[in-house]
Amino acid sequence: MINRQEIISAIEKHRIIVIARGLSREELLQTAEAMYRGGIRLMEVTFNACATPSDEETAANIALLSERFQGKMYVGAGTVLRPEQVELAAKAGAAYIISPDSRREVIERTRELGLVSLPGAFTPTECTTAWDFGADFIKIFPNSELKPSYIKALKAPLSHMRFLAVGGVDLDNLHEFMQAGACGIGIATGIIDKKLVKAGDYDGITELARRFTEKMAQC
């Protein structure tokens, strides 16, 4: 049974969610192990809007990771666009649901099933709407188009909201985003470097994870 407050506290504590997409099952497992060794405790496995792999295959991967890392790492589902995907992810053991947008039916189904909701939003109106629907965190997306000052500007009138900067965050600007008011980040290729994965260099993945977790600890 998912403990919502435990998950919320874990996100606030660890502050780095690593986004995994486009990996085979074996690559996913080895990458997760490598990231765990580097200190990562939050991982997002994404659905594919083009259904390749299928939603069922993605849910199976979430289930595999949730079981393998139970009590060690929190696994969530990403690119969740429909309530049916929320249900699949919940059955697979996902702890949180992340979306690129703020669909009311997705947020409400997430909360109905007792999971933590992290929808995507960009403008103040979108952020407020998502929060009113029941979001626990707001994923600022696409953050890669923004400067940290944008989150600072949002945070001034919307200080009751928890913002995650997703996209465009690296080791050089991570501290700036956190100082601006982000409570965490979402990151993909900065840690899951596909070249390292293809080369089987999982120690390299561990090192990238360690650099980010150490940098975050300084924020």
Side-chain angles (χ1 to χ4, degrees):
M1 185 70 177
I2 297 295
N3 183 319
R4 270 179 37 79
Q5 190 52 54
E6 176 186 334
I7 305 305
I8 290 170
S9 296
I11 294 171
E12 292 179 320
K13 176 182 179 181
H14 299 295
R15 301 183 288 177
I16 300 174
I17 300 176
V18 182
I19 304 159
R21 62 166 61 91
L23 301 178
S24 69
R25 181 162 296 183
E26 184 57 34
E27 289 171 340
L28 190 62
L29 280 171
Q30 292 197 59
T31 298
E33 292 282 2
M35 293 193 303
Y36 181 79
R37 293 194 297 272
I40 295 299
R41 298 296 180 264
L42 301 161
M43 182 177 182
E44 167 192 342
V45 179
T46 66
F47 285 99
N48 189 313
C50 296
T52 307
S54 69
D55 288 352
E56 289 73 20
E57 289 175 287
T58 298
N61 286 337
I62 292 171
L64 183 65
L65 291 174
S66 296
E67 183 176 351
R68 178 73 64 91
F69 291 95
Q70 186 174 17
K72 299 195 298 182
M73 184 159 63
Y74 298 94
V75 180
T79 316
V80 179
L81 301 174
R82 304 189 311 277
E84 294 80 7
Q85 292 173 320
V86 178
E87 293 161 7
L88 278 173
K91 289 178 182 177
Y96 43 90
I97 299 296
I98 305 177
S99 303
D101 57 5
S102 299
R103 300 189 187 194
R104 181 172 192 158
E105 60 268 29
V106 169
I107 297 171
E108 290 183 345
R109 190 63 179 137
T110 298
R111 293 297 304 269
E112 288 168 1
L113 293 175
L115 306 184
V116 175
S117 174
L118 299 88
F122 193 74
T123 67
T125 298
E126 291 172 350
C127 292
T128 301
T129 299
W131 195 261
D132 288 346
F133 288 161
D136 296 293
F137 296 83
I138 302 295
K139 163 185 167 178
I140 301 302
F141 179 81
N143 185 73
S144 56
E145 306 303 311
L146 304 172
K147 296 179 180 179
S149 56
Y150 183 76
I151 289 181
K152 183 176 182 179
L154 282 177
K155 195 71 179 172
L158 304 177
S159 59
H160 59 298
M161 296 184 190
R162 294 178 285 236
F163 295 113
L164 296 171
V166 180
V169 183
D170 56 33
L171 288 169
D172 292 328
N173 62 21
L174 186 155
H175 186 264
E176 291 181 68
F177 278 104
M178 298 305 294
Q179 286 292 105
C183 71
I185 66 169
I187 187 167
T189 55
I191 291 179
I192 304 182
D193 185 320
K194 293 292 182 65
K195 292 180 180 178
L196 294 178
V197 173
K198 293 303 180 185
D201 185 2
Y202 293 101
D203 287 341
I205 299 291
T206 297
E207 179 58 27
L208 289 174
R210 183 174 292 115
R211 289 179 192 173
F212 271 91
T213 54
E214 289 177 352
K215 188 76 171 182
M216 183 62 86
Q218 298 169 10
C219 295

